[in-house]
Short mmCIF file of all heavy atoms in Angstrom, two decimals:
data_model
loop_
_atom_site.label_atom_id
_atom_site.label_comp_id
_atom_site.label_asym_id
_atom_site.label_seq_id
_atom_site.Cartn_x
_atom_site.Cartn_y
_atom_site.Cartn_z
N VAL A 563 16.88 7.46 5.81
CA VAL A 563 16.60 8.07 4.50
C VAL A 563 17.28 7.27 3.40
O VAL A 563 16.70 7.04 2.33
CB VAL A 563 17.05 9.54 4.49
CG1 VAL A 563 16.93 10.13 3.09
CG2 VAL A 563 16.23 10.37 5.47
N LEU A 564 18.50 6.85 3.65
CA LEU A 564 19.23 6.06 2.65
C LEU A 564 18.50 4.74 2.36
O LEU A 564 18.42 4.30 1.21
CB LEU A 564 20.65 5.77 3.13
CG LEU A 564 21.60 6.98 3.20
CD1 LEU A 564 22.90 6.58 3.88
CD2 LEU A 564 21.87 7.54 1.80
N ALA A 565 17.95 4.11 3.39
CA ALA A 565 17.25 2.85 3.20
C ALA A 565 16.00 3.03 2.35
O ALA A 565 15.72 2.23 1.44
CB ALA A 565 16.88 2.24 4.56
N VAL A 566 15.24 4.09 2.61
CA VAL A 566 14.04 4.35 1.80
C VAL A 566 14.45 4.69 0.37
O VAL A 566 13.80 4.25 -0.60
CB VAL A 566 13.20 5.48 2.43
CG1 VAL A 566 12.01 5.81 1.53
CG2 VAL A 566 12.72 5.09 3.82
N ALA A 567 15.53 5.43 0.21
CA ALA A 567 16.01 5.76 -1.13
C ALA A 567 16.38 4.49 -1.91
O ALA A 567 16.03 4.34 -3.09
CB ALA A 567 17.21 6.70 -1.04
N ARG A 568 17.06 3.57 -1.25
CA ARG A 568 17.42 2.31 -1.92
C ARG A 568 16.18 1.53 -2.34
O ARG A 568 16.14 0.94 -3.43
CB ARG A 568 18.30 1.46 -1.00
CG ARG A 568 19.72 1.98 -0.84
CD ARG A 568 20.62 0.95 -0.16
NE ARG A 568 20.24 0.72 1.23
CZ ARG A 568 20.74 1.37 2.26
NH1 ARG A 568 21.65 2.33 2.07
NH2 ARG A 568 20.35 1.08 3.49
N ALA A 569 15.17 1.52 -1.51
CA ALA A 569 13.95 0.77 -1.81
C ALA A 569 13.25 1.31 -3.06
O ALA A 569 12.53 0.57 -3.74
CB ALA A 569 13.01 0.82 -0.62
N HIS A 570 13.46 2.59 -3.36
CA HIS A 570 12.80 3.22 -4.51
C HIS A 570 13.77 3.48 -5.66
O HIS A 570 13.37 4.13 -6.65
CB HIS A 570 12.14 4.53 -4.09
CG HIS A 570 10.92 4.36 -3.24
ND1 HIS A 570 9.65 4.27 -3.75
CD2 HIS A 570 10.79 4.20 -1.89
CE1 HIS A 570 8.78 4.12 -2.77
NE2 HIS A 570 9.44 4.07 -1.62
N ASP A 571 15.00 3.00 -5.52
CA ASP A 571 16.03 3.30 -6.51
C ASP A 571 16.07 4.81 -6.76
O ASP A 571 16.10 5.29 -7.89
CB ASP A 571 15.76 2.56 -7.83
CG ASP A 571 16.96 2.61 -8.78
OD1 ASP A 571 18.10 2.81 -8.31
OD2 ASP A 571 16.75 2.47 -10.00
N ALA A 572 16.08 5.55 -5.67
CA ALA A 572 16.02 7.00 -5.72
C ALA A 572 17.19 7.59 -4.94
O ALA A 572 17.94 6.88 -4.27
CB ALA A 572 14.70 7.50 -5.11
N THR A 573 17.34 8.90 -5.03
CA THR A 573 18.38 9.59 -4.26
C THR A 573 17.78 10.07 -2.94
O THR A 573 16.56 10.24 -2.81
CB THR A 573 18.91 10.80 -5.02
OG1 THR A 573 17.85 11.78 -5.14
CG2 THR A 573 19.41 10.41 -6.42
N PRO A 574 18.62 10.33 -1.93
CA PRO A 574 18.10 10.90 -0.69
C PRO A 574 17.36 12.22 -0.91
O PRO A 574 16.34 12.48 -0.25
CB PRO A 574 19.37 11.10 0.15
CG PRO A 574 20.32 10.05 -0.34
CD PRO A 574 20.05 9.97 -1.82
N ALA A 575 17.85 13.04 -1.84
CA ALA A 575 17.15 14.30 -2.13
C ALA A 575 15.74 14.04 -2.62
O ALA A 575 14.79 14.75 -2.24
CB ALA A 575 17.94 15.11 -3.15
N GLN A 576 15.58 13.04 -3.47
CA GLN A 576 14.24 12.72 -3.97
C GLN A 576 13.33 12.26 -2.84
O GLN A 576 12.14 12.60 -2.81
CB GLN A 576 14.33 11.65 -5.04
CG GLN A 576 14.91 12.14 -6.36
CD GLN A 576 15.05 11.04 -7.38
OE1 GLN A 576 15.62 9.98 -7.11
NE2 GLN A 576 14.51 11.27 -8.57
N ILE A 577 13.87 11.49 -1.91
CA ILE A 577 13.06 11.03 -0.78
C ILE A 577 12.65 12.21 0.09
O ILE A 577 11.51 12.28 0.58
CB ILE A 577 13.82 9.98 0.04
CG1 ILE A 577 14.09 8.74 -0.81
CG2 ILE A 577 13.05 9.62 1.31
CD1 ILE A 577 12.85 8.11 -1.42
N ARG A 578 13.55 13.16 0.29
CA ARG A 578 13.21 14.35 1.08
C ARG A 578 12.10 15.16 0.41
O ARG A 578 11.19 15.67 1.08
CB ARG A 578 14.45 15.21 1.30
CG ARG A 578 15.41 14.61 2.33
CD ARG A 578 16.64 15.49 2.56
NE ARG A 578 17.39 15.00 3.71
CZ ARG A 578 17.16 15.32 4.97
NH1 ARG A 578 16.20 16.19 5.26
NH2 ARG A 578 17.86 14.83 5.96
N ILE A 579 12.16 15.27 -0.91
CA ILE A 579 11.10 15.98 -1.62
C ILE A 579 9.78 15.22 -1.49
O ILE A 579 8.73 15.81 -1.21
CB ILE A 579 11.47 16.15 -3.11
CG1 ILE A 579 12.67 17.10 -3.25
CG2 ILE A 579 10.28 16.68 -3.90
CD1 ILE A 579 13.25 17.12 -4.66
N ALA A 580 9.83 13.90 -1.70
CA ALA A 580 8.61 13.10 -1.61
C ALA A 580 7.99 13.18 -0.22
O ALA A 580 6.77 13.31 -0.07
CB ALA A 580 8.93 11.65 -1.98
N TRP A 581 8.83 13.12 0.82
CA TRP A 581 8.31 13.23 2.19
C TRP A 581 7.59 14.56 2.38
O TRP A 581 6.51 14.63 2.99
CB TRP A 581 9.45 13.09 3.20
CG TRP A 581 9.02 13.18 4.63
CD1 TRP A 581 8.58 12.17 5.43
CD2 TRP A 581 8.96 14.37 5.44
NE1 TRP A 581 8.27 12.63 6.69
CE2 TRP A 581 8.48 13.99 6.72
CE3 TRP A 581 9.26 15.71 5.20
CZ2 TRP A 581 8.31 14.90 7.76
CZ3 TRP A 581 9.09 16.62 6.24
CH2 TRP A 581 8.62 16.22 7.50
N THR A 582 8.18 15.64 1.87
CA THR A 582 7.56 16.96 1.96
C THR A 582 6.16 16.94 1.36
O THR A 582 5.19 17.40 1.98
CB THR A 582 8.42 18.01 1.23
OG1 THR A 582 9.68 18.13 1.88
CG2 THR A 582 7.73 19.36 1.18
N LEU A 583 6.03 16.39 0.18
CA LEU A 583 4.74 16.39 -0.50
C LEU A 583 3.72 15.49 0.19
O LEU A 583 2.51 15.70 0.03
CB LEU A 583 4.92 15.96 -1.96
CG LEU A 583 5.75 16.91 -2.83
CD1 LEU A 583 5.98 16.32 -4.21
CD2 LEU A 583 5.07 18.28 -2.94
N HIS A 584 4.20 14.50 0.96
CA HIS A 584 3.30 13.61 1.67
C HIS A 584 2.78 14.20 2.99
O HIS A 584 1.95 13.58 3.65
CB HIS A 584 3.99 12.27 1.97
CG HIS A 584 4.01 11.32 0.80
ND1 HIS A 584 4.79 11.53 -0.31
CD2 HIS A 584 3.35 10.16 0.59
CE1 HIS A 584 4.62 10.53 -1.15
NE2 HIS A 584 3.74 9.68 -0.64
N GLN A 585 3.25 15.38 3.37
CA GLN A 585 2.85 15.97 4.65
C GLN A 585 1.49 16.65 4.59
O GLN A 585 0.96 17.09 5.61
CB GLN A 585 3.91 16.96 5.15
CG GLN A 585 5.26 16.34 5.40
CD GLN A 585 5.17 15.07 6.22
OE1 GLN A 585 4.75 15.09 7.38
NE2 GLN A 585 5.54 13.95 5.63
N GLY A 586 0.90 16.72 3.42
CA GLY A 586 -0.42 17.31 3.27
C GLY A 586 -0.60 17.84 1.87
O GLY A 586 0.39 18.20 1.22
N PRO A 587 -1.83 17.92 1.39
CA PRO A 587 -2.06 18.40 0.01
C PRO A 587 -1.70 19.86 -0.19
O PRO A 587 -1.58 20.32 -1.32
CB PRO A 587 -3.56 18.16 -0.19
CG PRO A 587 -4.13 18.16 1.20
CD PRO A 587 -3.08 17.55 2.07
N HIS A 588 -1.51 20.59 0.93
CA HIS A 588 -1.19 22.02 0.83
C HIS A 588 0.31 22.27 0.85
O HIS A 588 0.74 23.42 0.80
CB HIS A 588 -1.85 22.79 1.97
CG HIS A 588 -1.36 22.40 3.33
ND1 HIS A 588 -1.48 21.12 3.84
CD2 HIS A 588 -0.75 23.11 4.32
CE1 HIS A 588 -0.97 21.07 5.05
NE2 HIS A 588 -0.51 22.26 5.37
N LEU A 589 1.13 21.22 0.92
CA LEU A 589 2.58 21.38 0.90
C LEU A 589 3.05 21.54 -0.54
O LEU A 589 2.72 20.72 -1.41
CB LEU A 589 3.28 20.18 1.53
CG LEU A 589 3.52 20.16 3.04
CD1 LEU A 589 4.66 21.08 3.44
CD2 LEU A 589 2.26 20.46 3.82
N LEU A 590 3.83 22.60 -0.80
CA LEU A 590 4.40 22.84 -2.13
C LEU A 590 5.92 22.76 -2.02
O LEU A 590 6.51 23.42 -1.16
CB LEU A 590 3.99 24.23 -2.65
CG LEU A 590 2.51 24.56 -2.67
CD1 LEU A 590 2.29 25.95 -3.25
CD2 LEU A 590 1.71 23.52 -3.44
N ALA A 591 6.54 21.97 -2.85
CA ALA A 591 7.99 21.83 -2.84
C ALA A 591 8.61 22.77 -3.87
O ALA A 591 8.10 22.89 -4.99
CB ALA A 591 8.39 20.38 -3.16
N ILE A 592 9.71 23.43 -3.48
CA ILE A 592 10.39 24.34 -4.41
C ILE A 592 11.90 24.05 -4.42
O ILE A 592 12.71 24.96 -4.19
CB ILE A 592 10.12 25.82 -4.06
CG1 ILE A 592 10.37 26.09 -2.57
CG2 ILE A 592 8.72 26.23 -4.48
CD1 ILE A 592 10.38 27.58 -2.21
N PRO A 593 12.30 22.81 -4.72
CA PRO A 593 13.74 22.53 -4.79
C PRO A 593 14.38 23.34 -5.90
O PRO A 593 13.79 23.53 -6.97
CB PRO A 593 13.80 21.03 -5.08
CG PRO A 593 12.50 20.74 -5.78
CD PRO A 593 11.51 21.64 -5.12
N GLY A 594 15.60 23.81 -5.65
CA GLY A 594 16.29 24.63 -6.64
C GLY A 594 17.60 24.01 -7.05
O GLY A 594 18.26 23.31 -6.27
N THR A 595 18.01 24.27 -8.28
CA THR A 595 19.27 23.77 -8.79
C THR A 595 19.63 24.51 -10.08
O THR A 595 18.76 25.06 -10.75
CB THR A 595 19.18 22.26 -9.09
OG1 THR A 595 20.44 21.77 -9.55
CG2 THR A 595 18.12 21.97 -10.15
N GLY A 596 20.90 24.51 -10.39
CA GLY A 596 21.36 25.00 -11.68
C GLY A 596 21.86 23.86 -12.55
O GLY A 596 22.42 24.08 -13.62
N ASN A 597 21.62 22.62 -12.08
CA ASN A 597 22.09 21.42 -12.77
C ASN A 597 20.91 20.75 -13.47
O ASN A 597 19.95 20.34 -12.82
CB ASN A 597 22.72 20.47 -11.74
CG ASN A 597 23.30 19.23 -12.37
OD1 ASN A 597 22.65 18.55 -13.15
ND2 ASN A 597 24.54 18.91 -12.01
N PRO A 598 20.97 20.60 -14.80
CA PRO A 598 19.83 20.01 -15.52
C PRO A 598 19.48 18.60 -15.05
O PRO A 598 18.31 18.24 -15.00
CB PRO A 598 20.30 20.02 -16.98
CG PRO A 598 21.35 21.07 -17.05
CD PRO A 598 22.03 21.06 -15.72
N ASP A 599 20.50 17.80 -14.71
CA ASP A 599 20.23 16.44 -14.24
C ASP A 599 19.54 16.45 -12.89
O ASP A 599 18.61 15.67 -12.64
CB ASP A 599 21.53 15.64 -14.16
CG ASP A 599 22.16 15.40 -15.53
OD1 ASP A 599 21.41 15.38 -16.52
OD2 ASP A 599 23.39 15.22 -15.59
N HIS A 600 19.99 17.32 -12.00
CA HIS A 600 19.34 17.44 -10.70
C HIS A 600 17.90 17.93 -10.86
O HIS A 600 17.00 17.49 -10.13
CB HIS A 600 20.10 18.39 -9.79
CG HIS A 600 21.42 17.86 -9.34
ND1 HIS A 600 22.34 18.63 -8.65
CD2 HIS A 600 21.99 16.64 -9.46
CE1 HIS A 600 23.41 17.91 -8.38
NE2 HIS A 600 23.22 16.70 -8.86
N LEU A 601 17.67 18.82 -11.80
CA LEU A 601 16.33 19.32 -12.06
C LEU A 601 15.40 18.17 -12.44
O LEU A 601 14.30 18.03 -11.88
CB LEU A 601 16.35 20.35 -13.19
CG LEU A 601 14.98 20.74 -13.75
CD1 LEU A 601 14.18 21.51 -12.72
CD2 LEU A 601 15.14 21.55 -15.03
N ALA A 602 15.82 17.34 -13.38
CA ALA A 602 14.99 16.23 -13.81
C ALA A 602 14.71 15.28 -12.65
O ALA A 602 13.58 14.78 -12.49
CB ALA A 602 15.66 15.49 -14.96
#
Side-chain angles (χ1 to χ4, degrees):
V563 173
L564 291 172
V566 176
R568 287 192 293 268
H570 288 268
D571 192 23
T573 67
Q576 288 177 309
I577 297 304
R578 285 181 170 274
I579 293 170
W581 180 88
T582 296
L583 295 174
H584 279 71
Q585 299 312 296
H588 63 300
L589 273 285
L590 307 181
I592 50 169
T595 182
N597 183 310
D599 294 334
H600 290 172
L601 168 68

